[in-house]
Amino acid sequence: LTFMQKIEKINYFDLIEVNKKINNPFSREIFISTIKKEYGNGYTIFYDLGNGIAVYIRNFTTNKDLLLVEECNVSGGSLIFNLGDDINFLYRNSEKHTLKKESLLLGLSSNNFYVEVPLKKNKKLITFSIGMKEELFLEITSPIDNIKSYMKEAHKKSYSIFNTLQIDTLQHEIINYFKDKDSFKNILKTIYLESKTTDLIHYTIQKISKSLNKSTNTKSRASSLERAKEIIMQEYSSNLSIKNIAYKSAINECYLKKDFKEFYNMTILEMLQKRRLEVAKELLKDEFNVNEVARKVGYKNSGYFSKLFINHFKISPIQFKKQFKY
């Protein structure tokens, strides 16, 4: 906060100077700008594809600490790829979000979007972003569950951060096509870059969707394992089999055996045996004899039960019972 109070606050449009504007057919507009000399050096490119999609390229450093103000009156979503130093976003509601180097985020914004970005002297800001208007954005991102609820959240508080991921090799390869700012001066090359933009959108949305599905599957698997444990805790006295537990907890039998060991650091049989013996220990404190206790916890053979009890508690069930007088 002290840092922000001391530095100059500047709107993005006051930071840049438009050097060239290119008007291509069908409402395609390209603005190539440089950073004003009093603030630093580098360039920015804004390319409106004319179809509800726009590309933003920024590559610059500032010669002093600045607080960059960005505003937008068009609701929608953005893919932001950070290729430079970490970026901090400070929102109206005092919330913060840090986009790490070599990471991307899917962000949503309302038509009243506002954010402040602290820029440190001589730190590289290198980003490649794709903005999409709301109607198109919701169609494009339909493979992602609950995307509309995040859009509603954005309308309430002006923004929503949906997802962050690492930038992968394929995304880097596509972004590299945009490294030469002079490419936009050639209409044929510009159309080629449009195709690369849509490739990047499609690939990234699919990647985010798969990542979320994997996360959902992991949560679902954990829920099933917890259900399996609950079945063991409650139904320990019945003739439980792995197949039976798998069916009741809605998980594949092979996954259950493998994941249960990883999740609880013991096998299903080990947990079932431990549960039965712990209950048996408590029952032996009452008036039940060893044979009755063995049957109550699910063992038909009292001799086998006694062997397990000794291995677990280092004392026989008969000796343990003798400690309690009635």
Side-chain angles (χ1 to χ4, degrees), residues 128-305:
F128 180 89
S129 306
I130 303 171
M132 295 158 273
K133 291 182 179 178
E134 182 176 347
E135 186 177 356
L136 177 63
F137 173 75
L138 292 176
E139 286 291 330
I140 290 174
T141 55
S142 59
I144 300 174
D145 291 336
N146 301 320
I147 193 67
K148 289 185 178 180
S149 64
Y150 282 87
M151 196 72 242
K152 287 179 181 178
E153 179 188 14
H155 280 292
K156 285 181 181 177
K157 63 178 189 179
S158 91
Y159 79 96
S160 177
I161 303 296
F162 184 80
N163 196 256
T164 58
L165 291 172
Q166 288 294 112
I167 301 173
D168 65 26
T169 304
L170 181 57
Q171 289 164 331
H172 264 298
E173 286 178 3
I174 296 174
I175 292 169
N176 280 339
Y177 284 103
F178 296 82
K179 275 194 170 180
D180 182 6
K181 61 182 177 180
D182 294 328
S183 298
F184 291 92
K185 296 176 182 178
N186 181 304
I187 182 62
L188 190 60
K189 183 68 181 289
T190 298
I191 292 173
Y192 176 70
L193 292 176
E194 288 179 10
S195 72
K196 289 299 177 183
T197 300
T198 54
D199 285 347
L200 184 58
I201 292 171
H202 178 265
Y203 174 78
T204 304
I205 295 302
Q206 291 295 322
K207 182 178 179 179
I208 291 172
S209 179
K210 287 177 183 177
S211 170
L212 292 171
N213 288 340
K214 184 178 180 181
S215 175
T216 301
N217 289 339
T218 302
K219 289 178 182 177
S220 176
R221 191 80 58 82
S223 177
S224 294
L225 293 173
E226 287 168 3
R227 173 61 183 150
K229 180 182 178 181
E230 184 181 328
I231 290 167
I232 292 170
M233 293 295 106
Q234 294 179 355
E235 302 179 29
Y236 59 87
S237 61
S238 62
N239 187 24
L240 284 176
S241 67
I242 292 177
K243 185 176 182 179
N244 185 244
I245 295 171
Y247 176 76
K248 288 184 176 184
S249 53
I251 188 172
N252 178 278
E253 190 176 335
C254 294
Y255 284 134
L256 175 61
K257 287 189 285 188
K258 175 179 174 291
D259 294 350
F260 197 93
K261 171 75 173 176
E262 292 179 5
F263 201 74
Y264 292 112
N265 202 30
M266 66 175 73
T267 66
I268 292 172
L269 180 60
E270 287 170 341
M271 182 175 282
L272 178 59
Q273 183 176 289
K274 182 181 178 183
R275 173 61 172 164
R276 284 174 169 175
L277 294 174
E278 292 289 350
V279 174
K281 188 178 180 182
E282 295 303 311
L283 291 174
L284 285 168
K285 295 176 183 178
D286 294 330
E287 69 275 14
F288 305 110
N289 63 41
V290 173
N291 289 338
E292 289 173 326
V293 169
R295 287 195 299 272
K296 281 182 176 292
V297 296
Y299 293 111
K300 294 177 181 178
N301 187 316
S302 60
Y304 179 61
F305 162 69

Side-chain angles (χ1 to χ4, degrees), residues 298-314:
Y299 293 111
K300 294 177 181 178
N301 187 316
S302 60
Y304 179 61
F305 162 69
S306 295
K307 182 181 177 182
L308 293 175
F309 195 95
I310 293 168
N311 288 339
H312 191 75
F313 295 113
K314 309 306 177 188

